[in-house]
Amino acid sequence: MRTRPYVTTSPTRLAAALLEVAARNGLDAASVREVANEAGVSIGAVQHHFPTKDEMLAYSFRTLSDRVLNRLTNVDPDIDPARTLFSALSQLLPLDEQRGSEVHVMSAFTVRAVTSPTLSAIRTATLFTIRTGIARVLIRAGTPDPETRAALLLSAANGLALDAAASPELHPREYLTHALHAQVQLVLDGADAH
């Protein structure tokens, strides 16, 4: 029986390589050649799984989004909504090396999504899932206008993440955690947003 030439290469392995290249050198540096080098495979092996760079980018973005969503859904739905929201949304902030890399790459994908319908659809689905989860916590807490407040809370977390990626010296971890705690409390305790 003849073995398949790319049996040791998987889309998952290639997506991990792309995310490593993008975290280190930016998304524009994540060419087929660079991804192949990072994964230790031939260019043909990459093209076997991803005939176009756009397909490779979309798969990698889905992989990254799924990783983040998985962490968010594994947050313990604590009895205290403030702790639950903080634990979940802190997964979006660059509070350690892994999340720092993710924020860097996620920001690059966000910019590219402006002109890519495929990447935009992935981002939209991811944001919708996160926002819906936040709204569920707010509904259980009896917070007025939970959908709007969920959108505001998610926007605040994403804004903090982007600002921290672009200007890390202005956004140390202590500042990010304090700002997120404050935003969660504003959403839970603040006056009605009408």
Side-chain angles (χ1 to χ4, degrees), residues 127-193:
L127 291 175
F128 179 78
T129 300
I130 296 170
R131 194 174 71 199
T132 300
I134 295 168
R136 270 195 295 259
V137 174
L138 295 175
I139 289 167
R140 281 196 309 268
T143 307
D145 200 7
E147 289 82 11
T148 300
R149 290 183 186 215
L152 292 171
L153 191 49
L154 178 56
S155 294
N158 280 333
L160 282 170
L162 180 61
D163 287 349
S167 303
E169 64 283 352
L170 295 177
H171 300 85
R173 291 175 184 163
E174 300 78 23
Y175 174 80
L176 292 174
T177 57
H178 173 74
L180 182 58
H181 274 296
Q183 189 62 46
V184 167
Q185 284 310 130
L186 283 171
V187 164
L188 289 171
D189 301 334
D192 194 12

Side-chain angles (χ1 to χ4, degrees), residues 6-136:
Y6 306 116
V7 72
T8 61
T9 305
S10 70
T12 303
R13 179 178 173 190
L14 297 173
L18 182 141
L19 296 174
E20 284 296 319
V21 170
R24 198 171 47 247
N25 301 319
L27 195 55
D28 288 337
S31 65
V32 172
R33 179 180 305 285
E34 287 303 314
V35 170
N37 286 340
E38 182 72 24
V41 299
S42 69
I43 291 172
V46 175
Q47 292 171 330
H48 170 76
H49 292 286
F50 301 113
T52 68
K53 183 176 179 180
D54 286 343
E55 290 176 71
M56 182 173 65
L57 289 173
Y59 185 90
S60 299
F61 190 26
R62 262 190 231 96
T63 298
L64 177 58
S65 296
D66 288 347
R67 181 192 315 162
V68 172
L69 287 173
N70 187 49
R71 283 202 318 268
L72 287 166
T73 58
N74 285 323
V75 167
D76 184 17
D78 195 277
I79 193 164
D80 176 23
R83 280 199 313 234
T84 299
L85 291 168
F86 177 82
S87 294
L89 290 169
S90 66
Q91 299 304 313
L92 303 176
L93 299 179
L95 299 176
D96 56 34
E97 188 175 329
Q98 177 184 340
R99 286 180 282 180
S101 292
E102 289 173 351
V103 166
H104 180 78
V105 177
M106 193 69 81
S107 299
F109 273 120
T110 296
V111 170
R112 195 172 281 240
V114 171
T115 58
S116 167
T118 302
L119 297 180
S120 179
I122 295 166
R123 185 167 193 278
T124 298
T126 302
L127 291 175
F128 179 78
T129 300
I130 296 170
R131 194 174 71 199
T132 300
I134 295 168
R136 270 195 295 259

